[in-house]
């Protein structure tokens, strides 16, 4: 069983907009602030929290598309994210 991380703040809010806008608002208003709060207290707990959020999101996406679409999209997203991280972290060779 996982260790309790303490209070998670879910601000009272109404979220409206396109699917992308709603997803961004939920991330910005709920997930990101709680990850940042955890990062200050316990970086490993923050990483675990983010990993669980990622896994739940990926699982939800997988239930909405075909296996082929899931595999293709996950490969594209993963490739682009790794490339972006390498650029940000100066890990790309000149």
């Amino acid at each position: 069983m996982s260790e309790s991380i303490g209070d998670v703040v879910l601000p009272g809010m109404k979220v409206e907009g396109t699917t992308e806008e709603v997803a961004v608002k939920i991330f910005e208003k709920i997930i990101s602030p709680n990850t940042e709060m955890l990062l200050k207290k316990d970086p490993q707990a923050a990483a675990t929290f983010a990993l669980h959020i990622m896994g739940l999101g990926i699982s939800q996406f997988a239930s909405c598309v075909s296996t082929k679409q899931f595999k293709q999209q996950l490969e594209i997203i993963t490739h682009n994210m790794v490339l972006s991280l390498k650029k940000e972290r100066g890990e790309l060779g000149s």
Side-chain angles (χ1 to χ4, degrees), residues 9-16 21-31 33:
V9 179
L10 300 176
M13 63 182 202
K14 183 176 182 180
V15 180
E16 295 179 309
E21 290 168 340
V22 169
V24 167
K25 287 176 188 174
I26 290 170
F27 186 83
E28 289 176 343
K29 299 292 184 184
I30 299 171
I31 297 168

Side-chain angles (χ1 to χ4, degrees), residues 1-5 8 27 31 34-35 38 42-61:
M1 185 170 169
S2 296
E3 180 181 330
S4 175
I5 61 172
V8 174
F27 186 83
I31 297 168
N34 284 286
T35 304
L38 281 171
D42 183 350
Q44 185 57 48
T48 300
F49 176 73
L51 179 66
H52 286 297
I53 293 294
M54 179 183 69
L56 291 167
I58 289 171
S59 177
Q60 190 74 65
F61 176 65

